[in-house]
Amino acid sequence: MQLEVVNKEKVIQFCQQILADNIRKSVRIVLDFEQPYETRYSLNLDGYNFVGANDKGRLVKVVPFYRGYWLHFSIEFDLQSRSSKSYDYYLKGVALAIFYGSEATNEEKLLMFRAEWDNKNDEDTRTDNPQPHWHFQNADSYVKAEYVADFNVFMGFKEEESTGFLEEIGEIRPQPTPKSVNISGFHFAMSAGWIFEQPHKHILTEKSLKVWLDKTLKHIKQQLEHYC
C-alpha cells in the first residue's frame, strides 16, 4: 500500500495555523533541510533565537509554549517514488519536542519529552514501533543539580562549600550508579488499540495530522497547567 500523496504547501499552511492558535503567537514554518528526495521544515518565531539540543544532539530552535516550557516542531516529506520523475510527496514524519529553561538567559533549553509520528506503511516490517508515540528523556541529574545550586545560594554558601545538608534530610537521595540507563529511545505508545484488539501502528495522513497536532498540543498544555 502506497502512502498518501500530499500537497506540501497546504500541509505546512494548516500546521502553521494550528501551531499559532495553540502558542497564541504568529509563527512561521520554514525550510530547515533539503535533499533531492527529502525536505524538512521546522517552527520559527521572529525575534526569538533560543535553542536546545534535540535527541541527536543537534541544536534546534525553540519557541515559548507555557511558563518556562519551550516547543520545537518539525515535519518531513519524502518522494513517493525516487525512481519516478513526478514530484509526489508523502508525509515522512512529524515531531513535537518540549524543552525546559528560563527565558532570562540564552542557555540551551533542556529537552524533556517528545511526541512523534513516523509514517510506516503496512509492508514496512523492519520495526513494530507504535505510531504515534512518546519519548522521554533522562533529566534527573539536571534537576538535582538545580536543587543543590538553589539551596546553596539561599543559605549563602559558596559553590565549593556544599554541606550535604539536603542529602542528610532526604531531599536528595544519592542513587547508586553502577551503569547509566537511557530510555530516550523507548517508544511509548500514544494511540494503541490493544483493549479493542486493534494495532498500535497507524498511518499518518493529512486528515489524521490535523487532528493529532491540535489535540496533542492541547493535551500537553493542559497537563503542564495542572502538574508543572
Side-chain angles (χ1 to χ4, degrees):
M1 182 186 73
Q2 283 193 320
L3 299 172
E4 178 187 66
V5 174
V6 299
N7 182 309
K8 283 199 302 180
E9 288 70 26
K10 180 183 175 183
V11 170
I12 290 170
Q13 185 177 20
F14 75 65
C15 285
Q16 190 167 271
Q17 186 60 55
I18 292 171
L19 288 158
D21 290 344
N22 281 275
I23 298 172
R24 298 180 182 176
K25 293 182 185 293
S26 180
V27 296
R28 294 184 297 120
I29 295 176
V30 298
L31 183 65
D32 183 37
F33 172 83
E34 185 172 31
Q35 284 189 341
Y37 305 109
E38 179 183 351
T39 54
R40 181 178 64 228
Y41 296 80
S42 61
L43 188 62
N44 187 64
L45 179 59
D46 291 339
Y48 283 80
N49 293 304
F50 297 95
V51 298
N54 67 8
D55 57 298
K56 297 177 177 61
R58 186 174 73 91
L59 291 181
V60 295
K61 280 197 171 185
V62 297
V63 302
F65 184 59
Y66 176 79
R67 294 186 180 178
Y69 289 89
W70 301 74
L71 173 70
H72 173 73
F73 167 83
S74 66
I75 186 167
E76 294 187 39
F77 301 87
D78 205 345
L79 283 177
Q80 183 75 265
S81 172
R82 299 192 177 191
S83 60
S84 171
K85 293 183 179 180
S86 65
Y87 288 90
D88 293 332
Y89 285 91
Y90 72 92
L91 286 163
K92 184 178 181 181
V94 60
L96 296 167
I98 299 297
F99 293 74
Y100 181 76
S102 171
E103 191 171 340
T105 73
N106 287 322
E107 292 181 356
E108 291 178 21
K109 311 311 174 195
L110 173 66
L111 177 60
M112 304 299 289
F113 60 90
R114 296 132 54 203
E116 299 179 348
W117 195 338
D118 302 316
N119 221 0
K120 307 288 185 183
N121 62 33
D122 294 337
E123 287 76 30
D124 189 343
T125 58
R126 288 171 295 177
T127 66
D128 193 35
N129 293 331
Q131 304 294 345
H133 56 267
W134 301 95
H135 288 285
F136 297 92
Q137 305 302 122
N138 295 343
D140 289 349
S141 59
Y142 294 90
V143 175
K144 290 175 185 175
E146 284 187 11
Y147 284 152
V148 172
D150 290 346
F151 179 79
N152 288 340
V153 170
F154 175 74
M155 295 297 291
F157 299 142
K158 295 180 180 178
E159 187 172 343
E160 64 273 13
E161 293 178 342
S162 177
T163 64
F165 174 71
L166 288 179
E167 287 84 350
E168 291 180 12
I169 64 174
E171 287 296 318
I172 298 178
R173 297 176 177 84
Q175 299 293 323
T177 54
K179 65 176 182 178
S180 176
V181 177
N182 189 343
I183 63 167
S184 63
F186 195 106
H187 294 69
F188 293 88
M190 182 186 291
S191 187
W194 298 321
I195 62 173
F196 306 109
E197 297 187 353
Q198 295 176 357
H200 58 230
K201 186 165 67 172
H202 305 281
I203 301 298
L204 177 61
T205 65
E206 187 176 314
K207 182 179 179 180
S208 62
L209 172 59
K210 283 183 180 180
V211 177
W212 179 85
L213 181 58
D214 184 55
K215 297 296 185 182
T216 303
L217 286 167
K218 284 180 168 57
H219 171 69
I220 292 173
K221 182 170 284 188
Q222 185 266 343
Q223 292 295 296
L224 291 176
E225 289 173 347
H226 281 76
Y227 299 107
C228 299

